[in-house]
Amino acid sequence: MKLRINLKQCLAAAALVSTAAFTVACSSATAGTPSAGGTVASTSSSAPTSPSSSSSSSAGSTSSHSRPSDPSTEADDPTVTVVVEPAALDATTEVWLENSCTDIGTLLGALFAVPTVDGTATDAEYRDAYVTYYADLTDTLLAMTDRMAALDAPTFTGGQDLHDGYLAYLDDLSSITLGAAVIIQQAPDRASVDAAVQQVNAEIEQLGQSDYGLSDFQGDQLQALLAQVPACAGLVTT
């Protein structure tokens, strides 16, 4: 019996989850296009005077003759260059992103650690393997919740809502996995375990469709910030 995981469900997993992934597949800022929260720096709209123009003007004071323009030189007219500057990353936001991204990776590992018991296992062994799986997954989620709850919300626009939504998602997901461990512990045979796992998968999938505001992880503003945190590299799409 394999557990189906969606990236968005992991987090966002989100993936956190997904998509994450966890995955976590998001869109990155396009060069030349300002992203939300970013600033755009550009050169002056007035083209700088080229060396050839300066020398030509100077020569004009002593000679009435000027050299014909070279077509190849005219093709190199200066152009305006637009540079996208990333949104500012303050310490509070950096700590929050680093912890959430690191935890998403941990959660993915726990989600994919599905029991590998085969047909030779007894009903009791099969049941115990899934009880352990969901119990460990619950412990991972509760530890994540405790760590994130202790942090201040990120400071970007909508940061508090994202923080609260993330915690709510983790809390609801841990309730499902804890309930799964309890139900499977009482399952009398392998068929009953399989039925319980299928039900849990459906509940997790439905949870992933709920609105916790985690889609903000895919927004341009947050993507620009994620790109500045090494731990979040897996959550940024290229």
Side-chain angles (χ1 to χ4, degrees):
M1 171 75 58
K2 293 185 178 180
L3 180 67
R4 292 181 296 128
I5 300 300
N6 176 283
L7 174 58
K8 179 181 179 182
Q9 297 171 355
C10 295
L11 155 256
L16 153 207
V17 121
S18 272
T19 39
F22 237 14
T23 181
V24 144
C26 310
S27 62
S28 59
T30 301
T33 302
S35 59
T39 57
V40 178
S42 64
T43 60
S44 171
S45 59
S46 299
T49 302
S50 65
S52 61
S53 298
S54 299
S55 61
S56 177
S57 298
S58 299
S61 62
T62 59
S63 173
S64 60
H65 299 286
S66 60
R67 181 178 177 180
S69 300
D70 186 343
S72 63
T73 300
E74 293 179 345
D76 294 330
D77 289 339
T79 58
V80 175
T81 301
V82 178
V83 180
V84 176
E85 296 292 348
L89 180 64
D90 60 272
T92 298
T93 298
E94 182 174 11
V95 170
W96 192 91
L97 290 176
E98 183 174 0
N99 277 272
S100 60
C101 291
T102 299
D103 277 349
I104 287 176
T106 300
L107 177 55
L108 280 178
L111 283 167
F112 288 111
V114 180
T116 57
V117 287
D118 56 27
T120 64
T122 64
D123 286 352
E125 292 172 336
Y126 192 76
R127 178 183 61 242
D128 291 345
Y130 274 95
V131 169
T132 299
Y133 168 71
Y134 284 113
D136 290 346
L137 185 52
T138 300
D139 288 341
T140 296
L141 288 164
L142 292 177
M144 288 174 62
T145 302
D146 288 344
R147 280 192 293 273
M148 295 306 297
L151 299 179
D152 291 329
T155 61
F156 51 78
T157 302
Q160 185 65 58
D161 289 338
L162 180 62
H163 178 72
D164 294 341
Y166 186 21
L167 290 176
Y169 175 83
L170 294 176
D171 184 62
D172 289 346
L173 182 55
S174 64
S175 294
I176 291 176
T177 57
L178 176 59
V182 172
I183 292 173
I184 294 175
Q185 179 67 61
Q186 302 171 351
D189 51 38
R190 183 185 298 253
S192 298
V193 171
D194 287 346
V197 171
Q198 290 179 351
Q199 177 59 37
V200 172
N201 286 345
E203 291 179 8
I204 293 178
E205 184 173 354
Q206 182 176 12
L207 182 68
Q209 302 305 315
S210 301
D211 183 13
Y212 289 89
L214 300 183
S215 60
D216 286 349
F217 271 94
Q218 299 181 18
D220 288 345
Q221 178 190 31
L222 190 47
Q223 280 291 297
L225 295 174
L226 289 170
Q228 301 176 60
V229 182
C232 299
L235 301 181
V236 180
T237 51
T238 56

